[in-house]
Amino acid sequence: MFPDAGFREPTDDSVLVEAEGKLGEELPAGLKQLLLESDGIVGQTSVDTVWGIEQIVEQNLYFRSDSSFAQLYMPFDALLFFGDNGGDQFAFVQTPRRPDIFVWEHETDSRRWVARDLRDYLARSLADGGDDWYH
């Protein structure tokens, strides 16, 4: 369906369980299923539309613990980041848990809705139209 998208080798359940332990929260079901099929998706212009599980853990722990971020931005604890467009980050809202996808625009610290769920996000972000599809 998206010939320009790049798919990676799948991860496995044990890696996802370990990741959830490090994050201290359960990953959304749709994201877990996707990672079991492809450990990340690279979009048409080589952006990480969906990060691999290692990067998901690394980036979320960094965003939640970096003291300079705490001084510059609203807290990130309610978000679970999982991809980007080369600048802005995409996330599930974990508190309250919901399937919607939001974008965090780093220049303004705004967080706004961009897709109703992971499937909708993938359809929108991997379709022709460029990396700024959500504007």
Side-chain angles (χ1 to χ4, degrees):
M1 186 169 187
F2 303 106
D4 295 329
F7 298 92
R8 299 184 178 124
E9 290 296 315
T11 192
D12 61 56
D13 283 318
S14 64
V15 174
L16 296 179
V17 169
E18 183 181 335
E20 289 175 330
K22 288 178 181 176
L23 290 169
E25 64 185 296
E26 191 174 323
L27 296 168
L31 180 60
K32 286 184 354 184
Q33 183 59 45
L34 175 67
L35 295 169
L36 289 169
E37 295 175 26
S38 176
D39 190 21
I41 298 175
V42 179
Q44 6 178 323
T45 58
S46 299
V47 298
D48 289 318
T49 302
V50 177
W51 298 330
I53 189 62
E54 186 176 306
Q55 189 173 2
I56 289 171
V57 170
E58 179 183 298
Q59 291 297 314
N60 280 281
L61 293 178
Y62 175 68
F63 273 68
R64 295 171 187 174
S65 64
D66 186 275
S67 60
S68 64
F69 278 12
Q71 295 172 359
L72 293 171
Y73 305 118
M74 292 184 290
F76 295 110
D77 296 340
L79 301 175
L80 179 74
F81 292 104
F82 68 90
D84 66 68
N85 75 334
D88 296 326
Q89 317 286 317
F90 298 95
F92 289 95
V93 174
Q94 294 290 84
T95 308
R97 189 175 279 278
R98 52 193 288 186
D100 303 272
I101 307 299
F102 284 72
V103 62
W104 171 61
E105 294 175 294
H106 62 282
E107 296 94 353
T108 62
D109 194 28
S110 69
R111 295 123 196 256
R112 64 182 172 81
W113 183 94
V114 293
R116 67 181 169 272
D117 57 22
L118 185 59
R119 182 182 299 259
D120 186 35
Y121 165 78
L122 293 172
R124 291 171 187 247
S125 63
L126 295 174
D128 290 336
D131 298 330
D132 291 336
W133 58 271
Y134 54 92
H135 286 286

